[in-house]
Amino acid sequence: METSYPQGKSFRIDEVCFEKGRITSILGRNGCGKTTLLRTMTGFLPYRGSIEIDGKECRDYTGLERAQKVAYLPQIMKAVKMDVESLVEHGRFPWHGSFRRMSVSDKNVIENALEMTHMTSLKARDLTELSGGELRRAYLAMVIAQNTEMILLDEPTTYMDIESQKLFFEIVRTLADRGRGIVMTCHDIAQSFSLSDIIVLMDQGVVRKTGTPDSLEKYRDDLVQLLGAAVKRIDDEKLMYPYVLIR
Amino acid sequence: MRKYFFPVVILISLIMLALLAGNSAVRTKDFLGVLSGGGTDGHKMILFQVRLPRIAAAVFSGAGLSVSGFLLQGSLDNRIASPGILGINNGAGLFVLLSACFFPFQAAMKCLMAFLGALLVTFMAYGLAAKTGMSKTSVVLAGVAVSALCASIIDIMISWRPEIVADKTAFQIGGFAAVSAMMVSFGAPVIAFGLLAAFVTAPSMDILRLGDETAHGLGLNTRRYRGLCVFCSALLAGAAISMGGLIGFVGLIVPNCVRSLWRGNARPAVFFCAVYGALLLLLCDTLSRMVVFPYELPCGLFLSIAGAPFLILTLIRKRKRLGAD
């Protein structure tokens, strides 16, 4: 798959596969193409080559059909004047378009999404009144309510404090356990290694390495070159995450 | 439910009142007579050929202009966007002059040209803005540029053919004194269609508010929806202008008021815009007939007097809000 920016910077992926039921983290330096990859996979950017979603070419889907398969949460989330519940209701848009009304099962999906993200008590709040972490959880509830097999998240943990990040990863793990595929970009290397099933390493618009955290741990030099740091697994109960950063 | 019925009830009462008000002698008794099927031909003529078209024109134009502003503000994410500011008014004005130049005294042609002018200018401004990156400022700047271009062509035409000015001044202030049943039968269905389209697609507007990328992730074709909004707003404004001339500020005041009072979804907001827009314009038109009775003021004058200070207030409030963030 190939895509390019208007500025002429190009981007090329030979093959990469994201699976359901797993948490995949895409790691790489700023500007290595993580966000571009996510955007292209949701059809936001035009591409040459092929992106298959559930066996069908991405560009052959209509917008709503694609949104029934893949949910995407961009890095910038707007705090507009809207209450949390209405926001989460918009997650049902791909299944309705503009015409149908909410059914009982839609209401259930919305309730579950709110509960899962611990936003039920905040559902009447306005988005403008939420903290950064709460706002991100509200948007997460929206993409959960979208009920897709894959969920793409662009830097979901930015602006979150440690507690919120922990809660966030618990939610994402529950989703993966229930069979949804999670693909996310992240800047916290140790956290990603500790909490993901698959790591995808990117550099200058190319996927360098893919594998489980354990299998990638040994490529210390490559990690340092690509990420600026490597990781080491230390099994100590006092550590928050089993992987720690090393030089 | 009260918040939905209340404005509708007021609108209906105002329509009744407006049917009664006027400078020729139709008394309440005569009015009721006509309603119950009787009445003289003269009374019928005044009610159905003069007052009813005029009221219908005010109601439809008000609803149309206000929803047009709502669509522009929502789809361009800019509270100051409105048919006037984007140059739609000047574009329609230019085309009306053209029609006065080449097809003098043809009302149907005037309507059609106003309509075409509105459509053309909207798409020019929108295309220009899309080329330059679609930011909030570029849309308004593109509108101002296109508007200035139209205004200068208007001036050139006036110096070249001064006799067409008479038609132009009445048109530019805006009002419903010259509305005929024919004009309404052309404009009202177009506006009804535009309102329906805006109402049906309103949920997409809520999605769009979350930002382009998020909206795209939810499956909304943002470019197509924006295009639809701009097309509908040009349709609505064009049809309204073809009936009432260049009535400014309705498209700015009403959606902004609705937005600050109503925080919910876009579909009810479209409804409120339509009803309150109709109410405001009908009120202004009725007042314009009554205030200096038996003479008449152009209805557009009332609106501009109220509208300009309102725009200033909106700007000040926005500035304050930005300062507080």
Side-chain angles (χ1 to χ4, degrees):
Chain A
M1 183 271 289
E2 258 185 27
T3 183
S4 57
Y5 287 109
Q7 301 96 306
K9 212 165 139 190
S10 76
F11 177 88
R12 186 188 169 84
I13 301 269
D14 282 336
E15 186 172 8
V16 65
C17 179
F18 300 107
E19 292 169 49
K20 290 180 215 170
R22 305 275 188 107
I23 299 176
T24 309
S25 285
I26 306 173
L27 295 180
R29 287 203 165 94
N30 285 338
C32 72
K34 302 184 295 270
T35 302
T36 309
L37 177 58
L38 292 187
R39 280 188 182 165
T40 316
M41 282 197 291
T42 50
F44 194 72
L45 295 172
Y47 62 90
R48 289 182 299 279
S50 163
I51 298 174
E52 276 188 12
I53 302 170
D54 210 6
K56 192 176 156 188
E57 189 58 37
C58 174
R59 60 168 82 83
D60 294 340
Y61 282 97
T62 66
L64 292 181
E65 276 172 6
R66 192 201 58 245
Q68 291 173 7
K69 297 276 182 192
V70 182
Y72 169 57
L73 202 51
Q75 195 177 343
I76 294 160
M77 300 171 194
K78 279 187 161 181
V80 293
K81 274 183 194 152
M82 184 186 287
D83 60 77
V84 173
E85 195 175 14
S86 303
L87 176 74
V88 182
E89 278 173 10
H90 290 325
R92 301 306 295 158
F93 182 79
W95 304 88
H96 287 177
S98 294
F99 306 104
R100 231 185 68 202
R101 310 196 103 215
M102 293 279 161
S103 67
V104 179
S105 70
D106 288 323
K107 290 274 176 207
N108 283 338
V109 171
I110 291 161
E111 285 298 312
N112 284 337
L114 283 168
E115 213 164 289
M116 217 172 166
T117 50
H118 303 250
M119 291 300 286
T120 311
S121 57
L122 297 173
K123 71 178 181 185
R125 282 272 198 97
D126 207 283
L127 295 184
T128 49
E129 299 164 359
L130 298 179
S131 71
E134 288 166 345
L135 181 71
R136 306 219 135 217
R137 286 217 307 279
Y139 269 91
L140 182 64
M142 181 186 82
V143 289
I144 292 174
Q146 210 171 326
N147 226 349
T148 54
E149 288 161 349
M150 296 297 285
I151 299 177
L152 314 183
L153 306 165
D154 194 6
E155 310 258 356
T157 52
T158 10
Y159 307 120
M160 283 189 183
D161 55 25
I162 297 287
E163 289 277 298
S164 306
Q165 291 188 11
K166 233 183 107 205
L167 178 59
F168 170 81
F169 274 103
E170 278 167 27
I171 298 165
V172 169
R173 176 54 67 191
T174 318
L175 285 170
D177 288 344
R178 290 184 191 172
R180 308 238 206 144
I182 311 285
V183 181
M184 52 187 273
T185 64
C186 194
H187 271 297
D188 193 325
I189 301 165
Q191 198 181 39
S192 301
F193 267 81
S194 306
L195 301 169
S196 314
D197 301 312
I198 307 283
I199 299 286
V200 174
L201 289 174
M202 284 188 70
D203 182 39
Q204 293 173 5
V206 179
V207 171
R208 295 287 181 204
K209 277 196 164 39
T210 309
T212 60
D214 290 336
S215 71
L216 289 180
E217 189 192 352
K218 59 177 180 275
Y219 299 106
R220 191 177 145 189
D221 293 340
D222 289 325
L223 288 176
V224 170
Q225 194 212 326
L226 295 178
L227 304 173
V231 287
K232 182 177 169 62
R233 190 180 174 100
I234 298 173
D235 289 305
D236 180 342
E237 276 180 11
K238 283 193 182 133
L239 284 176
M240 183 130 182
Y241 299 122
Y243 282 94
V244 292
L245 286 185
I246 56 168
R247 272 190 283 177
Chain B
M1 277 330 258
R2 235 181 78 194
K3 58 180 178 279
Y4 296 106
F5 281 120
F6 185 62
V8 175
V9 169
I10 294 192
L11 181 61
I12 292 169
S13 343
L14 192 63
I15 290 174
M16 289 299 166
L17 193 77
L19 273 171
L20 276 170
N23 49 14
S24 71
V26 182
R27 296 210 181 80
T28 319
K29 195 178 70 189
D30 306 324
F31 172 64
L32 291 175
V34 173
L35 273 193
S36 56
T40 64
D41 284 349
H43 291 151
K44 269 190 197 161
M45 168 80 181
I46 288 169
L47 282 178
F48 292 124
Q49 295 299 315
V50 181
R51 287 192 192 162
L52 201 60
R54 182 170 179 165
I55 290 165
V59 166
F60 276 99
S61 300
L65 286 170
S66 136
V67 172
S68 167
F70 178 82
L71 289 176
L72 287 175
Q73 286 164 22
S75 63
L76 305 177
D77 189 21
N78 193 331
R79 283 185 74 154
I80 315 182
S82 79
I85 299 224
L86 283 187
I88 299 182
N89 280 0
N90 269 338
L94 173 63
F95 272 62
V96 164
L97 263 193
L98 282 174
S99 103
C101 231
F102 297 111
F103 318 96
F105 310 114
Q106 290 187 27
M109 205 58 205
K110 196 177 106 178
C111 293
L112 196 69
M113 290 291 270
F115 189 66
L116 283 179
L119 271 180
L120 192 76
V121 164
T122 316
F123 276 93
M124 262 174 82
Y126 183 67
L128 212 71
K131 268 244 155 33
T132 53
M134 213 58 219
S135 78
K136 284 188 185 190
T137 348
S138 68
V139 175
V140 174
L141 281 179
V144 169
V146 174
S147 188
L149 187 68
C150 292
S152 60
I153 300 177
I154 288 177
D155 285 340
I156 292 171
M157 287 180 65
I158 291 172
S159 359
W160 175 48
R161 295 272 301 269
E163 75 276 10
I164 54 178
V165 171
D167 212 7
K168 185 214 158 215
T169 20
F171 181 80
Q172 254 187 349
I173 298 173
F176 299 96
V179 163
S180 67
M182 194 277 301
M183 284 153 103
V184 176
S185 66
F186 169 79
V190 176
I191 290 181
F193 171 78
L195 292 180
L196 189 72
F199 189 74
V200 168
T201 60
S204 304
M205 183 70 86
D206 291 317
I207 306 284
L208 198 65
R209 274 170 66 203
L210 303 176
D212 273 36
E213 264 187 89
T214 312
H216 182 88
L218 287 168
L220 180 71
N221 187 331
T222 49
R223 258 181 50 194
R224 196 191 298 163
Y225 179 66
R226 272 219 180 82
L228 178 82
C229 280
V230 171
F231 177 76
C232 274
S233 55
L235 209 67
L236 288 166
I241 289 167
S242 76
M243 292 191 286
L246 304 185
I247 294 170
F249 287 124
V250 185
L252 192 65
I253 305 173
V254 179
N256 270 306
C257 280
V258 168
R259 238 174 253 272
S260 52
L261 292 173
W262 172 256
R263 298 255 166 111
N265 287 339
R267 193 168 273 170
V270 169
F271 169 81
F272 288 134
C273 277
V275 176
Y276 282 116
L279 200 58
L280 179 66
L281 213 50
L282 183 59
L283 186 70
C284 282
D285 185 51
T286 313
L287 280 178
S288 75
R289 286 196 283 153
M290 285 161 64
V291 169
V292 284
F293 188 82
Y295 302 101
E296 246 186 56
L297 286 172
C299 152
L301 220 62
F302 273 90
L303 268 166
S304 301
I305 288 170
F310 179 81
L311 179 58
I312 295 167
L313 254 166
T314 312
L315 287 173
I316 292 172
R317 269 185 52 197
K318 198 170 178 181
R319 172 93 202 126
K320 269 193 188 149
R321 216 185 56 222
L322 286 178
D325 278 348

